[in-house]
Amino acid sequence: MKANNKNILFLITLFILFPISASANVVWPSLYIAEGMLVWYVILAGLVIEFLFIKIFLKTSFLKAGLASVTMNLISALIGIFLIPISGLLAEVLLIPTNTPTFHISHWILSYILAVLSNVLTEGLAIRVIYKIKKAFWWLTLANAITVLLSIAVRLL
């Protein structure tokens, strides 16, 4: 039994250290999204966009809006590094029956939707637990839709 635990720990460690780009032939659209979200000005734009959404929709102080934006984006970045490529793999698996190539528009659209949902669920859970903010799904979805679209544009242009 202990040998299995060591094997599982080894595989998890290997998976974490495995370069995401090595699986690019499987999750290419989501890899573009994930890499685009690592560009400094996309990160800054995402922080500003979500700060504005928090400030407008929650009518909170500048400090609380800034802290909430930074906190939820930090958590989302740490989890999203793995979650977005995994969601891209899910998109590819779901689209196997369509027999379309990886760069087909359907793969981009589904990868986009899953990346937005990954961010929304991660950030929504973070601000719900940390800041007790419950009504955030729709404005978080809109804010993340803009940010993920920006990350795609940065990588493709």
Side-chain angles (χ1 to χ4, degrees), residues 66-119:
L67 287 172
S69 179
V70 169
T71 303
M72 69 185 193
N73 277 287
L74 182 61
I75 292 169
S76 179
L78 293 172
I79 294 171
I81 283 272
F82 303 105
L83 196 57
I84 290 173
I86 290 169
S87 73
L89 180 60
L90 175 63
E92 295 300 318
V93 169
L94 290 173
L95 291 171
I96 286 174
T98 65
N99 200 25
T100 54
T102 300
F103 284 107
H104 189 267
I105 189 72
S106 60
H107 294 252
W108 280 99
I109 291 170
L110 188 54
S111 292
Y112 169 76
I113 291 168
L114 291 175
V116 169
L117 285 176
S118 297
N119 286 345

Side-chain angles (χ1 to χ4, degrees), residues 19-92:
I20 294 171
S21 59
S23 58
N25 62 336
V26 178
V27 292
W28 197 262
S30 64
L31 184 62
Y32 263 85
I33 294 168
E35 287 180 350
M37 294 184 86
L38 295 174
V39 176
W40 72 269
Y41 47 89
V42 173
I43 294 169
L44 184 60
L47 286 169
V48 169
I49 289 167
E50 289 181 0
F51 168 81
L52 292 173
F53 273 75
I54 292 168
K55 184 74 179 124
I56 292 167
F57 288 102
L58 298 179
K59 297 173 180 47
T60 187
S61 70
F62 282 98
L63 181 62
K64 187 172 182 180
L67 287 172
S69 179
V70 169
T71 303
M72 69 185 193
N73 277 287
L74 182 61
I75 292 169
S76 179
L78 293 172
I79 294 171
I81 283 272
F82 303 105
L83 196 57
I84 290 173
I86 290 169
S87 73
L89 180 60
L90 175 63
E92 295 300 318

